[in-house]
């Protein structure tokens, strides 16, 4: 039995879908039964529970051979790091109590640092807690910068006519599509070739700058002269809050951007065939960004 947390989210739904496609027994965990219904229709067992509840997660992990675990983002929390602390405590307690032997955990580049990386500090703590579970094999997938992080630019470009953000325009980011993380995690859960506690970076198809992001998006939406402008934090913060983030979450995202800009938070592995994933940013823009932009234009 494979247990999948965040099964209605970007990575978890791909993990569950891929495992179900291989006729595996899968238990999907989430708070909303309706969101998990597509997996149930494919034969998954549904478990409704809160990721901050160690008792619920202990039950969710019962009789599992493997688990895919992650901290679902909580962008409206007024104390996001305390929230992620509660989630990682509950995940670690649930895995330990249920005696799960093989765990694949979604982490991030920068999870080697214990401070100064914004929300990634929560993933550093998750890794540390899972490291303490004796006898469990754990694989930490330290993913690069999500391509999905560029989707809010659809609204920005619609309104302002250019892309903006806190990241340096020339900073080469290892950008990855979340579907590729989910696919890699599913293969890891099926193959079980990891032993002890291991980290594996996932760096996307190639490194991409925000200047290139604007060029690629511009070409795809018929704005060939689209440009990207780095704005100071004091201009970005209110826009993030307006998008629905709490002040505190926005602050953590800006801290992460600063740590990327300075090189404090970065990939540690050289790029190899193993940590390179297939989906290019051009493909992501064609399949995900353009529809989001067209939806904005209609709205």
């Amino acid at each position: 039995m494979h247990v999948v947390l965040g099964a209605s989210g970007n990575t978890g739904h791909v993990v569950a879908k891929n495992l179900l496609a291989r006729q595996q027994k899968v238990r999907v965990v989430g708070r909303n039964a309706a969101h998990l219904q597509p997996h149930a229709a494919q034969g998954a067992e549904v478990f409704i529970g809160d990721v901050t509840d160690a008792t619920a997660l202990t039950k969710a992990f019962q009789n599992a051979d493997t688990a895919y675990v992650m901290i679902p983002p909580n962008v409206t929390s007024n104390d996001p790091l305390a929230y992620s602390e509660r989630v990682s405590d509950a995940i670690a307690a649930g895995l330990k109590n249920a005696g799960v032997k093989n765990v694949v955990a979604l982490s991030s580049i920068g999870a080697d640092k214990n401070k100064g990386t914004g929300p990634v500090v929560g993933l550093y703590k998750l890794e540390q807690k899972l490291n303490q579970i004796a006898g469990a094999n754990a694989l930490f997938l330290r993913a690069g910068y999500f391509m999905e992080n560029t989707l809010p630019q659809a609204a920005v470009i619609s309104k302002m006519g250019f892309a903006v953000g806190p990241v340096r325009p020339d900073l080469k980011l290892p950008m990855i599509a979340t579907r590729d993380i989910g696919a890699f995690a599913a293969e890891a859960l099926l193959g079980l070739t990891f032993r002890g506690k291991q980290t594996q970076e996932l760096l996307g198809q190639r490194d991409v700058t925000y200047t290139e992001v604007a060029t690629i998006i511009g070409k795809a939406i018929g704005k060939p002269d689209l440009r990207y402008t780095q704005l100071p934090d004091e201009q970005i913060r209110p826009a993030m809050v307006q998008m629905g983030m709490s002040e505190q979450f926005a602050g953590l995202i800006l801290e992460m951007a600063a740590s990327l800009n300075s090189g404090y938070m970065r990939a540690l592995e050289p790029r190899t065939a193993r940590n390179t994933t297939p989906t290019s940013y051009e493909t992501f823009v064609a399949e995900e960004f353009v529809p989001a932009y067209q939806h904005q234009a209609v709205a």
Side-chain angles (χ1 to χ4, degrees):
M1 170 69 77
H2 306 277
V3 174
V4 180
L5 299 191
S8 57
N10 279 335
T11 61
H13 93 271
V14 176
V15 176
K17 191 177 83 176
N18 287 17
L19 291 172
L20 288 163
R22 306 276 276 273
Q23 272 72 56
Q24 299 291 304
K25 283 172 73 174
V26 178
R27 182 182 298 141
V28 290
V29 182
R31 280 188 308 186
N32 187 315
H35 292 168
L36 298 173
Q37 197 46 47
H39 297 310
Q42 298 302 310
E45 183 186 316
V46 170
F47 185 96
I48 303 303
D50 191 304
V51 285
T52 61
D53 182 344
T55 307
L57 289 190
T58 299
K59 284 185 190 151
F61 291 135
Q62 284 301 326
N63 306 316
D65 306 297
T66 75
Y68 175 74
V69 303
M70 45 90 69
I71 300 177
N74 186 350
V75 300
T76 58
S77 170
N78 293 323
D79 195 344
L81 288 179
Y83 158 79
S84 65
E85 186 90 60
R86 289 199 305 278
V87 176
S88 58
D89 279 344
I91 289 171
L95 290 169
K96 188 178 175 187
N97 294 341
V100 181
K101 283 284 174 274
N102 302 291
V103 183
V104 173
L106 176 61
S107 188
S108 169
I109 60 165
D112 55 301
K113 308 282 195 298
N114 66 359
K115 61 178 193 290
T117 56
V120 177
V121 170
L123 299 173
Y124 165 83
K125 291 187 172 177
L126 174 66
E127 288 193 15
Q128 297 304 310
K129 289 168 192 177
L130 300 191
N131 277 333
Q132 301 305 310
I133 304 175
N137 301 308
L139 178 65
F140 304 115
L141 300 182
R142 290 188 180 168
Y145 188 92
F146 289 2
M147 291 178 184
E148 282 76 1
N149 291 344
T150 66
L151 286 175
Q153 297 291 343
V156 175
I157 294 163
S158 283
K159 272 199 196 88
M160 298 171 72
F162 55 96
V164 304
V167 175
R168 278 180 18 222
D170 62 336
L171 179 68
K172 286 185 170 296
L173 291 164
M175 282 203 187
I176 187 165
T178 54
R179 66 176 95 160
D180 290 352
I181 302 169
F184 191 99
E187 288 306 315
L189 291 168
L190 288 164
L192 295 182
T193 56
F194 55 96
R195 287 288 171 270
K197 310 299 191 282
Q198 289 178 225
T199 60
Q200 166 71 55
E201 290 188 349
L202 294 177
L203 304 180
Q205 186 254 354
R206 69 182 195 277
D207 291 1
V208 184
T209 67
Y210 258 93
T211 298
E212 288 175 86
V213 162
T215 302
I216 293 162
I217 290 172
K219 198 172 162 187
I221 63 172
K223 291 182 184 288
D225 52 355
L226 186 73
R227 69 184 198 282
Y228 169 78
T229 304
Q230 181 186 359
L231 292 180
D233 287 3
E234 56 271 20
Q235 282 181 263
I236 293 276
R237 191 187 302 266
M240 287 174 151
V241 172
Q242 206 178 354
M243 278 164 51
M245 289 182 193
S246 67
E247 285 273 356
Q248 291 79 0
F249 195 88
L252 287 178
I253 294 295
L254 292 172
E255 179 179 271
M256 181 177 78
S259 74
L260 287 166
N261 285 339
S262 70
Y264 174 68
M265 176 176 162
R266 64 183 193 282
L268 303 179
E269 299 175 9
R271 184 175 284 282
T272 63
R274 180 156 171 81
N275 62 27
T276 297
T277 51
T279 306
S280 69
Y281 190 65
E282 287 83 352
T283 299
F284 174 82
V285 167
E287 294 178 3
E288 308 274 343
F289 190 94
V290 170
Y293 178 77
Q294 288 168 341
H295 178 75
Q296 281 293 333
V298 169

